[in-house]
């Protein structure tokens, strides 16, 4: 312990000094005015970090870590304790159970990490008080132990491979054998973990790989387990007060007064016009109502539905705003100019429809008994169509993939090259001080991850060959695509907070390579997409482990342990649910207890994307620009790089085409009334507070974001469990009143916008036209 109270790192860590090169890169730790030099130990670096807490954070958010994460480390803190195994096992089973159950509930819930974090904290603190001191209770519950519990529990969440098991049983009459099913789940997840370990030098250890989406968790660990009292106690008190206030308040918009979810001032001001067009542009509280422009939302659940606006860096929010603005222009323009017969299909929606109709496409009519595509039936029925807004969404997703890869190599090529050199180097050039601290712990060798990959790649191959649903070469192609997308998605998530949703892209590519085989496409998507998402999640957890100074081998064990629990529990629970509720899960509406919308959508996408990709998206097909959007994404980043070279002071270096593209179809479905409020909060916090009130921003920003999310998530769970019908026989509806209008039967939506289909005068006019 130093004289000023900081824990000093071990002698080995102190000897790992930070070298100063002439040009700072991704692998160096730099501050605006001063650098940590070769004679600076980590205790001094911690003092210097604390002196800069009131400095303005850069627009890209890289310096935010130094305001949140301490450089001190106590290597004597126990991690793999009896308390860890009890709480981690309990919560891993809980996460796997609830994650699987929620996938078949009409409420569409997910288990948030903040819930696991808070529950694990209180359970472990209770064990700390009741267990006898000694091997069962080695001391106070600490942040390393806490973070590892949450990593383990979150690793056990819903295993996406169970959707295939459910789909094959419900729609194809095939029961996957138990052994094959468990191996299928494990192989799809552990192959991704092998990729994550391979990319650690590029996507975990460097300073700029800071994962802004994980900083709310890190903030909580630092404050809940801070020593010394004073500020740390007051900040912890502030957090819990915010959680309680948010929890109580969110009962209003989520149950008692849903009108608070969105208030459209423009709709209210123009109500006398009864214009459906105004509702389409300015309404947005109800699903697929409209774009929600300039509406105000007073519901944090709606505001943060696509991501917490207080978390992402200002540079990322600029690109989000540009993408939403482009969507605002393109979507109505394409609709009202009848692009792709837009007016023949719904204004918004994710379904596929009969040709030039708003009736859902008869998918069962175009399938053989073995559920391959009957192209003769397709010729009879015609190719399906879709909402133009959904086409924009698909195009944006395709552009994001190629633009993301190009953006990384254009803007981070030196860092990419250095990262790949470090993968096989005997000594890493990474000089981030948080990485330097970790070098005193025994690292997980690369061969562990390569062995993990080899083992479960082989398992996956055996599963595909045994079941004969996916050709061996298709399996290898899917795995190779996953390897590429892990790097691209992981890199973007590390530096911007936005990963790449590759599911639709993988499905489309699988359909092009092997058309007409929906079940094979499911497996192709599983090994191409699920492995990517698992690896990206593991990379973020590895970064949290670095911030919390968890010994790497302990972290590896925790991730493997949680994933194994999740695979086994998820498989058996899925089989139990689908076999007992098969009749309900294949219907459109299900019941108040069970709903198969998730697995139905998964199956529908396999049919349309996997079975009809060439007919819908190939050059010359009706939606050929969905395919061409890949090439637009390849070229667009070069344009903005060139503009930055010509006009270096304009700010074109802020442009990230990948993020912009992902929001081109932002309004394609769902509730959209919160978008205006979302950007107001982002501008106020990430621009004004960060730039002009840095002492407030640096101290409260991420803790406030964590408190709002935690309180809101608790409300979502409690509403669903108590009155939403999750554990009761039916949902309990709050009585209709002014702030809870009956929009199902009335002609006004909750946000005050006109609903034409429920207008008696419009209905009478329609009946008159029909009779005539």
């Amino acid at each position: 312990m130093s004289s000023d109270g900081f824990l000093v790192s071990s002698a080995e860590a102190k000897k790992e000094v930070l070298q100063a090169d002439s040009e700072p890169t991704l692998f160096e730790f730099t501050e605006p005015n001063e650098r940590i030099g070769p004679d600076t130990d980590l205790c001094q670096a911690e003092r210097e970090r604390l002196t800069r807490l009131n400095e303005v954070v850069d627009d890209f958010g890289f310096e935010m870590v130094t305001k949140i994460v301490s450089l001190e480390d106590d290597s004597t803190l126990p991690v793999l304790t009896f308390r860890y195994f009890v709480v981690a096992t309990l919560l891993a089973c809980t996460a796997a159970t609830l994650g699987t159950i929620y996938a078949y509930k009409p409420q569409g819930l997910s288990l948030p990490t903040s819930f696991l974090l808070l529950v694990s904290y209180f359970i472990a603190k209770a064990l700390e008080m009741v267990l006898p001191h000694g091997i069962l209770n080695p001391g106070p519950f600490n942040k390393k132990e806490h973070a590892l519990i949450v990593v383990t529990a979150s690793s056990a969440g819903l295993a996406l491979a169970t959707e295939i098991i459910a789909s094959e049983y419900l729609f194809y009459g095939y029961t996957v054998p138990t052994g094959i099913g468990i191996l299928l789940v494990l192989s799809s997840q552990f192959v991704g973990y092998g990729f994550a370990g391979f990319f650690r030098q590029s996507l975990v250890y460097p300073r700029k790989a800071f994962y802004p989406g994980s900083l709310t968790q890190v903030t909580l660990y630092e404050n809940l387990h801070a020593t010394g009292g004073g500020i740390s106690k007051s900040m912890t008190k502030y957090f819990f007060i915010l959680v309680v206030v948010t929890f109580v308040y969110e009962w209003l918009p989520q149950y008692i007064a849903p009108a608070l979810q969105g208030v459209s001032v423009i709709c209210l001001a123009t109500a006398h016009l009864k214009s459906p067009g105004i509702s389409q542009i300015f309404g947005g509280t109800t699903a697929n109502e409209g774009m929600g422009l300039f509406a105000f939302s007073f519901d944090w659940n709606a505001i943060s539905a696509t991501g917490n606006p207080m978390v992402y860096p200002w540079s990322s929010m600029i690109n989000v705003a540009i993408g939403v603005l482009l969507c605002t222009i393109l979507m109505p323009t394409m609709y009202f100019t009848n692009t792709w017969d837009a007016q023949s299909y719904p204004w918004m929606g994710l379904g596929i429809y009969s040709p030039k109709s708003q009736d859902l496409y008869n998918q069962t009519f175009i399938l053989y008994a073995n559920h391959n595509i009957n192209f003769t039936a397709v010729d009879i029925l015609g190719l399906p169509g879709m909402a133009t807004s959904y086409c924009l969404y698909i195009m944006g997703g395709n552009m994001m993939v190629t633009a993301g890869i190009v953006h990384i190599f254009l803007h981070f090529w030196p860092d990419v090259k250095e990262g790949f050199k470090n993968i096989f180097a005997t000594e890493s050039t990474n000089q981030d001080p948080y990485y330097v601290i970790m070098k005193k712990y025994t690292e997980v060798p690369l061969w562990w991850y390569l062995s993990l990959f080899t083992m479960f790649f082989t398992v996956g191959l055996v599963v595909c060959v045994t079941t004969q649903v996916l050709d061996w070469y298709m399996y290898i192609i899917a795995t190779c695509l996953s390897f590429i997308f892990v790097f691209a998605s992981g890199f973007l998530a590390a530096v911007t907070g936005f990963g790449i949703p590759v599911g639709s892209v993988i499905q489309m590519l699988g359909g092009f390579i092997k058309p007409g085989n929906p079940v094979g496409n499911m497996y192709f998507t599983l090994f191409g997409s699920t492995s990517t998402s698992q690896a990206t999640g593991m990379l973020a957890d590895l970064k949290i482990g670095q911030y919390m100074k968890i010994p790497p081998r302990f972290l590896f064990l925790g991730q493997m342990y949680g994933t194994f629990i999740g695979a086994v529990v998820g498989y058996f629970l899925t089989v139990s649910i689908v076999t007992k509720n098969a009749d309900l899960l294949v219907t459109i509406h299900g019941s108040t207890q069970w709903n198969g919308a998730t697995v139905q959508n998964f199956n529908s996408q396999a049919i349309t994307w996997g079975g009809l990709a060439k007919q819908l998206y190939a050059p010359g097909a009706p939606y050929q620009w969905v395919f061409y959007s890949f090439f637009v994404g390849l070229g667009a980043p070069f344009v903005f790089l060139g503009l930055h070279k010509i006009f270096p002071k304009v700010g074109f270096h802020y442009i990230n085409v990948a993020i912009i593209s992902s929001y081109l179809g932002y309004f394609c479905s769902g509730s959209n009334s919160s978008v205006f409020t979302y950007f107001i909060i982002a501008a106020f916090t990430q621009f004004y507070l960060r730039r002009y009130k840095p002492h407030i921003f640096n101290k409260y920003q991420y803790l406030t974001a964590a408190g709002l999310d935690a309180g809101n998530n608790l409300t979502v769970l409690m509403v669903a469990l108590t009155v939403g019908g999750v554990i009761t026989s039916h949902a309990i509806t709050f009585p209709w009143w002014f702030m809870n209008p009956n929009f199902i039967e009335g002609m006004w939506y909750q946000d005050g916008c006109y609903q034409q289909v429920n207008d008696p005068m419009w209905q009478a006019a329609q009946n008159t036209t029909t009779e005539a």
Side-chain angles (χ1 to χ4, degrees), residues 154-155 158-161 163 188-193 195-196 211 478 481-490 493 499-503 506 525-541 559 563:
S154 59
S155 298
L158 175 64
L160 298 180
E163 291 184 349
S188 63
Q189 295 180 288
F190 283 125
V191 164
Y193 286 171
F195 291 155
Y211 291 88
L481 288 173
S482 177
F483 179 80
I484 296 171
F485 290 146
V486 165
F487 177 74
S489 181
I500 300 177
V502 301
I506 295 290
T525 303
L526 173 69
F527 289 107
S529 175
T530 302
S531 297
T532 301
S533 61
Q534 288 294 128
T536 305
M538 185 183 196
L539 288 166
D541 287 342
Q559 289 176 309
T563 303

Side-chain angles (χ1 to χ4, degrees), residues 679-691:
F679 286 116
I680 291 175
I681 294 173
F684 176 73
T685 59
Q686 287 288 352
F687 179 76
Y688 174 75
L689 287 182
R690 179 184 59 83
R691 182 164 294 186

Side-chain angles (χ1 to χ4, degrees), residues 546-593:
Q546 181 172 303
Y547 287 149
M548 294 296 100
K549 295 86 177 176
I550 301 174
R553 297 193 177 194
F554 292 173
L555 188 63
F556 180 86
L557 172 65
Q559 289 176 309
M560 301 304 107
Y561 181 55
T563 303
F564 181 79
I565 290 176
V568 174
V569 173
Y571 170 79
F572 285 107
L573 192 56
T574 296
V575 171
S576 174
I577 291 172
V578 298
T579 53
K580 293 179 180 178
N581 303 280
D583 293 339
L584 285 174
L585 296 177
V586 296
T587 61
I588 295 176
H589 301 292
S591 69
T592 58
Q593 283 292 304

Side-chain angles (χ1 to χ4, degrees), residues 305-317:
T306 56
N308 192 322
M310 300 177 67
V311 170
Y312 301 116
W314 179 239
S315 60
S316 296
M317 295 308 303

Side-chain angles (χ1 to χ4, degrees), residues 365-664:
F365 181 77
I366 65 170
L367 295 177
Y368 284 116
N370 64 358
H371 293 87
N372 285 341
I373 300 294
N374 181 344
F375 290 102
T376 302
V378 173
D379 292 337
I380 296 173
L381 197 60
L383 285 172
M386 61 188 73
T388 300
S389 56
Y390 186 39
C391 288
L392 267 178
Y393 172 79
I394 301 170
M395 289 173 61
N398 292 351
M399 287 177 60
M400 185 183 189
V401 171
T402 50
I405 295 173
V406 173
H407 180 88
I408 291 168
F409 284 95
L410 286 182
H411 294 271
F412 297 98
W413 171 243
D415 309 311
V416 171
K417 183 171 61 174
E418 194 71 18
F420 275 96
K421 286 182 180 178
N422 283 331
I423 291 176
F424 300 103
T426 55
E427 186 67 23
S428 174
T429 59
N430 284 304
Q431 295 179 6
D432 177 12
Y434 299 101
Y435 172 71
V436 170
I437 294 174
M438 295 298 293
K439 294 179 75 171
K440 65 184 173 182
Y441 298 109
T442 305
E443 182 59 276
V444 177
L446 179 61
W447 72 265
W448 282 25
Y449 286 103
L450 295 180
S451 299
L452 186 73
F453 166 78
T454 302
M455 179 189 304
F456 285 98
F457 173 81
T458 305
V459 169
L461 182 61
V462 170
V463 168
C464 292
V465 171
T466 301
T467 58
Q468 297 182 339
V469 294
L470 185 66
D471 294 326
W472 64 268
Y473 64 89
M474 290 291 290
Y475 172 71
I476 294 175
I477 292 173
T479 305
C480 292
L481 288 173
S482 177
F483 179 80
I484 296 171
F485 290 146
V486 165
F487 177 74
S489 181
F491 205 110
L492 283 179
V495 300
T496 69
F498 291 87
I500 300 177
V502 301
S504 297
V505 176
I506 295 290
Q507 281 184 318
M508 182 186 298
L509 293 175
F512 274 115
I513 301 170
K514 186 80 171 181
N517 183 4
V519 177
N521 188 265
M522 289 183 191
Y523 279 77
F524 186 84
T525 303
L526 173 69
F527 289 107
S529 175
T530 302
S531 297
T532 301
S533 61
Q534 288 294 128
T536 305
M538 185 183 196
L539 288 166
D541 287 342
L542 288 174
K543 192 65 180 187
I544 291 174
Q546 181 172 303
Y547 287 149
M548 294 296 100
K549 295 86 177 176
I550 301 174
R553 297 193 177 194
F554 292 173
L555 188 63
F556 180 86
L557 172 65
Q559 289 176 309
M560 301 304 107
Y561 181 55
T563 303
F564 181 79
I565 290 176
V568 174
V569 173
Y571 170 79
F572 285 107
L573 192 56
T574 296
V575 171
S576 174
I577 291 172
V578 298
T579 53
K580 293 179 180 178
N581 303 280
D583 293 339
L584 285 174
L585 296 177
V586 296
T587 61
I588 295 176
H589 301 292
S591 69
T592 58
Q593 283 292 304
W594 301 104
N595 186 286
T598 300
V599 69
Q600 289 176 31
N601 182 59
F602 181 72
N603 180 61
S604 297
Q605 287 183 335
I607 294 172
T608 54
W609 290 82
L612 299 173
K614 284 188 176 181
Q615 288 74 16
L616 291 173
Y617 309 118
Y623 300 105
Q624 59 184 335
W625 275 99
V626 171
F627 174 73
Y628 292 144
S629 59
F630 283 114
F631 301 99
V632 176
L634 280 174
F638 289 98
V639 174
F640 290 102
L641 180 63
L643 289 173
H644 175 60
K645 297 292 185 182
I646 299 171
F647 308 104
K649 296 183 179 180
V650 174
F652 286 112
H653 64 294
Y654 283 99
I655 299 298
N656 188 321
V657 179
I659 297 178
I660 293 173
S661 300
S662 69
Y663 282 84
L664 285 181

